[in-house]
Amino acid sequence: MGRMKCMAMPLVALALLSLFLWTADASGAPPKPRLQWHYYRNSCRYAEEYVRHQVHLYWNTDKTIAPKLARLAYSDCFVNGCDGSILLDEGPNPEKKAPQNRGLGGFVLIDKIREVLNSRCPGVVSCADILQLATRDALNLTGAPSYPVFTGRRDGMKSDAASVDLPSPDITWQKGLSYFQSKGLNVLDMTTLLGAHSLGQTHCSYVVDRLYNFNGSGKPDPSMNATILNSLRKQCPPRKKGDHDPLVYLDPESGPKYKFSESYYKRILTREAVLGIDQQLLYGSDTEQITEEFAAGFEDLRKAFAESMYKMGNINVLTGNQGEIRQNCRYTNKGKSN
Ligand SMILES: *[C@@H]1O[C@H](CO)[C@@H](O)[C@H](O)[C@H]1NC(C)=O
Ligand SMILES: *[C@@H]1O[C@H](CO)[C@@H](O)[C@H](O)[C@H]1NC(C)=O
Ligand SMILES: *[C@@H]1O[C@H](CO)[C@@H](O)[C@H](O)[C@H]1NC(C)=O
């Protein structure tokens, strides 16, 4: 254990060095305006304060907003970049209708913030930025670290469920890693961002295979600790298609308290993870090292989480005169006036 920890340290330390050196268009894309620190400081001076205030008000009545926004930001950024396309209702089949996006929430708060900003500084702040800022502020209330959200994103003009390539929660970690890598993120980002599973819930349908018929064996997943197996079996009885599909916490320790913590990683070490992809972090040598490091030290997790959220928020952003600033986050400006 001690040796593993020492070996794992440089992984995180090295990655952290790159925090402010990392750029979104390292791929050789044509130069375009970059996101900026406090982009709205002249055009809408208190934009970030308005967002934070609304997030606080909402959190006081509904703490589920934190995992909801985190999931919304992930669903936005990983599919065609952080362009607010997940917020669109427009078109025959918007992204939010894709099966992987079932149960998304948080739209009501985004609408509320849009309304406030429309009255304070109309036409200035993008919905894509609202989502990133609100996510940071909501996560911060759960005890997740604060991280820099550079601003100046523009809103995308289209949203198509057919382009949603998000993996299902019941995939293997190898597939999860290939997916993250295809978006320019790495194994540390994946292991770190999965830590958001210390918040939030999932449907029983994504775990019943592990409980009753793992990989077609007719038996439970042998990597599961009996404690969590028995508790999940109570919450998720064997089901047939069409049966009620209850929700379970992804981390029964921190989830119900809406508290971001390292318990998610500790539970992986005691084989008490809820989703297969979480438990499988023990199967890869990099992911195992990182899991041990995070389980042992919250501070490392905090730093890595801040960096990975920052990176995620920079995936394929629109800037300059690309896209638009939507007046209503659910419709493009053209779509709204039609
Ligand atoms: C939340 O954000 C505030 C302001 O940026 C910061 O001082 C505080 O440390 C953050 N909380 C956590 C848990 O990081
Ligand atoms: C599932 O079963 C197949 C075929 O029996 C096997 O090749 C594969 O390794 C198994 N996967 C896991 C995760 O056990
Ligand atoms: C199973 O979980 C318990 C805590 O609920 C823990 O004490 C035990 O070590 C775990 N078993 C394994 C094999 O990790």
Side-chain angles (χ1 to χ4, degrees):
M1 280 284 279
R3 191 180 57 91
M4 294 294 290
K5 251 180 278 163
C6 291
M7 282 167 50
M9 281 305 177
L11 260 175
V12 171
L14 275 177
L16 290 173
L17 277 178
S18 67
L19 175 51
F20 291 99
L21 301 176
W22 194 87
T23 61
D25 34 1
S27 61
K32 59 175 188 178
R34 303 220 167 185
L35 298 180
Q36 292 175 30
W37 183 235
H38 296 316
Y39 176 81
Y40 300 111
R41 64 180 167 269
N42 298 320
S43 53
C44 186
R45 189 163 170 204
Y46 296 109
E48 298 195 18
E49 280 76 10
Y50 296 139
V51 173
R52 187 171 314 130
H53 181 60
Q54 291 303 323
V55 170
H56 278 231
L57 290 179
Y58 203 96
W59 163 269
N60 287 339
T61 62
D62 181 4
K63 296 194 168 27
T64 67
I65 194 64
K68 281 178 181 153
L69 287 179
R71 185 172 165 209
L72 208 48
Y74 162 77
S75 302
D76 190 29
C77 292
F78 275 77
V79 177
N80 302 322
C82 314
D83 63 350
S85 54
I86 192 67
L87 304 172
L88 287 172
D89 282 349
E90 201 172 307
N93 199 19
E95 284 174 27
K96 59 169 69 156
K97 294 266 177 65
Q100 299 98 314
N101 284 330
R102 168 184 172 211
L104 280 187
F107 300 106
V108 175
L109 171 59
I110 301 295
D111 290 342
K112 176 67 194 173
I113 297 171
R114 175 76 285 168
E115 195 187 306
V116 169
L117 289 170
N118 283 354
S119 74
R120 301 292 181 160
C121 13
V124 173
V125 183
S126 67
C127 294
D129 276 344
I130 291 176
L131 176 55
Q132 293 302 315
L133 292 166
T135 300
R136 176 194 58 191
D137 295 340
L139 282 171
N140 182 252
L141 292 169
T142 69
S146 200
Y147 52 91
V149 172
F150 283 44
T151 40
R153 289 172 193 73
R154 308 266 299 174
D155 294 324
M157 313 289 277
K158 56 181 196 306
S159 180
D160 180 1
S163 66
V164 175
D165 58 355
L166 297 169
S168 159
D170 56 8
I171 54 155
T172 61
W173 75 268
Q174 288 101 328
K175 286 195 185 137
L177 180 56
S178 313
Y179 182 71
F180 270 67
Q181 287 171 335
S182 75
K183 306 291 172 173
L185 272 64
N186 59 33
V187 66
L188 178 57
D189 297 314
M190 181 182 80
T191 313
T192 304
L193 291 175
L194 280 171
H197 285 177
S198 70
L199 307 163
Q201 297 174 296
T202 192
H203 282 282
C204 282
S205 52
Y206 296 120
V207 294
V208 281
D209 284 6
R210 295 191 77 206
L211 305 181
Y212 303 104
N213 187 19
F214 179 65
N215 199 18
S217 65
K219 298 199 189 99
D221 183 341
S223 72
M224 273 183 112
N225 193 314
T227 320
I228 188 76
L229 177 63
N230 293 333
S231 135
L232 282 176
R233 278 183 157 184
K234 286 200 193 92
Q235 299 172 72
C236 301
R239 58 189 298 277
K240 295 185 297 293
K241 221 174 160 52
D243 280 357
H244 173 60
D245 192 4
L247 286 164
V248 290
Y249 284 102
L250 287 164
D251 177 346
E253 214 170 311
S254 56
K257 294 182 266 186
Y258 295 94
K259 185 151 177 45
F260 180 89
S261 84
E262 78 283 22
S263 72
Y264 164 83
Y265 297 95
K266 291 190 169 139
R267 296 176 65 89
I268 292 171
L269 297 181
T270 54
R271 290 158 175 79
E272 295 179 280
V274 171
L275 288 175
I277 186 172
D278 297 338
Q279 192 56 65
Q280 290 171 23
L281 289 179
L282 281 190
Y283 295 177
S285 65
D286 287 357
T287 53
E288 183 188 357
Q289 280 183 33
I290 300 165
T291 301
E292 298 211 355
E293 180 177 343
F294 289 167
F298 190 42
E299 214 31 54
D300 290 340
L301 169 60
R302 283 175 54 84
K303 288 186 191 132
F305 190 76
E307 188 200 346
S308 293
M309 286 301 290
Y310 171 82
K311 276 171 79 169
M312 186 178 93
N314 283 276
I315 298 176
N316 283 338
V317 293
L318 304 176
T319 58
N321 53 15
Q322 297 176 304
E324 63 179 6
I325 304 295
R326 271 181 229 147
Q327 286 163 30
N328 179 327
C329 294
R330 294 174 186 266
Y331 299 92
T332 62
N333 293 337
K334 184 153 174 281
K336 192 60 187 168
S337 56
N338 279 344

